[in-house]
Amino acid sequence: MKVTVVTRSGRELIKGGLELDESATVVDLQEAIHRSNVKDYCDGNSGNLTVVFKDLGPQVSYRTLFFWEYLGPLLIYPIFYFFPVYQYLVIKGRLIHPVQTYALYYWCFHYFKRIMETFLNCAYYWTFGSYIAYYVNHPLYTPVSDLQMKIGFGFGLVCQVANFYCHILLRNLRSPDGNGGYQIPHGFLFNIVTCANYTTEIYQWVGFNIATQTVAGYVFLVVAAAIMTNWALAKHRRLRKLFDGKEGRPKYPRRWVILPPFL
């Protein structure tokens, strides 16, 4: 069997192609490409086939990627709380309000949970971590009422726990061999919302902003909600297309997409 390896632009990468046995597997193909000084991972093992090669450069595992993404916000936020980063201001002393302490716990708990779950973009999380921490811990920060703080953090904490449970449900949808394909999420909030994990993620930051009340926090909320809504709409369309109720396939049930009662 002859295998032709080309780039995405159609240029032949390995002159003359590769000769493999008819019984060759993907592993055999990978090893043959590796011996040709072309390192890539590809799929397919029947007849004559063409492999499209794309050099992605040095790769790191997703665990490493997520770890560094979430480590930034976890470490940056406490810096603004514990260290005198506001010394350039002519302010004598600093009074730490309870809401600032609880905001620290809340923020760190969220990103510690993120790291524990599996370890966008590092700049996105690190920048917003600095942006929000700067204003919430500023010496001139004016806290909300004690009642509003308790309502905000209470609501947000419930959503944090719900978000964690949603991730457990999604993980359980995957088959042990990793070949489960798409399945209809079900159970808990997934019975009424397609992307309940995004729903709880957004609403937990609503709780945080009710408790802390900063422009920076609301900017983060709007940006995060916009990104996750885009993901949710794409996933909802994909699931409805896959599970259309035809040819024996189950029909995707009627559900909210991400933000009941709005979307």
Side-chain angles (χ1 to χ4, degrees):
M1 174 176 64
K2 181 179 179 180
V3 178
T4 304
V5 182
V6 301
T7 65
R8 298 184 70 182
S9 63
R11 180 177 60 85
E12 187 175 1
L13 194 65
I14 299 178
K15 298 299 182 182
L18 299 170
E19 290 293 337
L20 298 176
D21 294 335
E22 291 294 333
S23 60
T25 65
V26 173
V27 174
D28 296 325
L29 177 58
Q30 291 173 347
E31 291 177 350
I33 293 176
H34 183 80
R35 288 194 298 270
S36 301
N37 295 321
V38 179
K39 300 176 182 179
D40 186 38
Y41 292 93
C42 47
D43 200 358
N45 60 355
S46 62
N48 292 322
L49 58 97
T50 297
V51 177
V52 179
F53 173 82
K54 180 181 180 182
D55 185 5
L56 298 177
Q59 301 292 294
V60 297
S61 69
Y62 277 112
R63 284 185 180 273
T64 303
L65 173 64
F66 291 143
F67 175 79
W68 286 106
E69 280 185 0
Y70 298 130
L71 182 65
L74 181 62
L75 297 181
I76 289 174
Y77 195 105
I79 290 175
F80 288 85
Y81 180 88
F82 289 108
F83 297 97
V85 295
Y86 302 96
Q87 282 185 338
Y88 66 90
L89 295 173
V90 184
I91 298 175
K92 300 297 183 180
R94 177 192 171 197
L95 174 63
I96 298 179
H97 302 282
V99 64
Q100 293 174 309
T101 301
Y102 293 135
L104 169 72
Y105 296 155
Y106 187 99
W107 183 277
C108 291
F109 172 75
H110 173 77
Y111 283 103
F112 177 77
K113 176 175 68 71
R114 282 295 197 185
I115 291 177
M116 291 299 99
E117 286 173 346
T118 54
F119 288 161
L120 295 180
N121 184 293
C122 286
Y124 169 78
Y125 291 108
W126 288 56
T127 300
F128 269 115
S130 303
Y131 182 43
I132 296 173
Y134 176 84
Y135 286 104
V136 173
N137 296 286
H138 199 283
L140 299 179
Y141 170 78
T142 302
V144 299
S145 68
D146 190 60
L147 176 61
Q148 182 173 334
M149 176 193 69
K150 292 178 180 178
I151 292 174
F153 283 133
F155 174 72
L157 185 58
V158 170
C159 291
Q160 287 246 31
V161 175
N163 179 258
F164 180 71
Y165 184 56
C166 286
H167 288 167
I168 292 176
L169 292 177
L170 289 175
R171 183 191 62 188
N172 292 339
L173 286 177
R174 305 168 190 157
S175 62
D177 59 6
N179 296 317
Y182 283 104
Q183 299 183 47
I184 298 178
H186 60 275
F188 191 45
L189 296 177
F190 286 108
N191 291 334
I192 59 174
V193 186
T194 293
C195 296
N197 52 319
Y198 296 153
T199 304
T200 51
E201 176 90 11
I202 292 172
Y203 283 140
Q204 74 182 31
W205 289 118
V206 170
F208 178 84
N209 281 293
I210 290 174
T212 56
Q213 205 85 322
T214 64
V215 172
Y218 281 111
V219 170
F220 174 68
L221 173 62
V222 170
V223 172
I227 293 172
M228 286 184 278
T229 298
N230 185 53
W231 293 342
L233 288 169
K235 182 176 182 179
H236 188 75
R237 287 192 296 266
R238 184 166 58 248
L239 290 174
R240 290 188 63 185
K241 183 178 181 180
L242 287 172
F243 302 104
D244 54 9
K246 300 177 181 178
E247 300 178 357
R249 293 184 293 269
K251 185 173 179 59
Y252 193 73
R254 184 179 178 83
R255 294 175 177 174
W256 296 102
V257 179
I258 183 172
L259 290 174
F262 309 108
L263 178 64

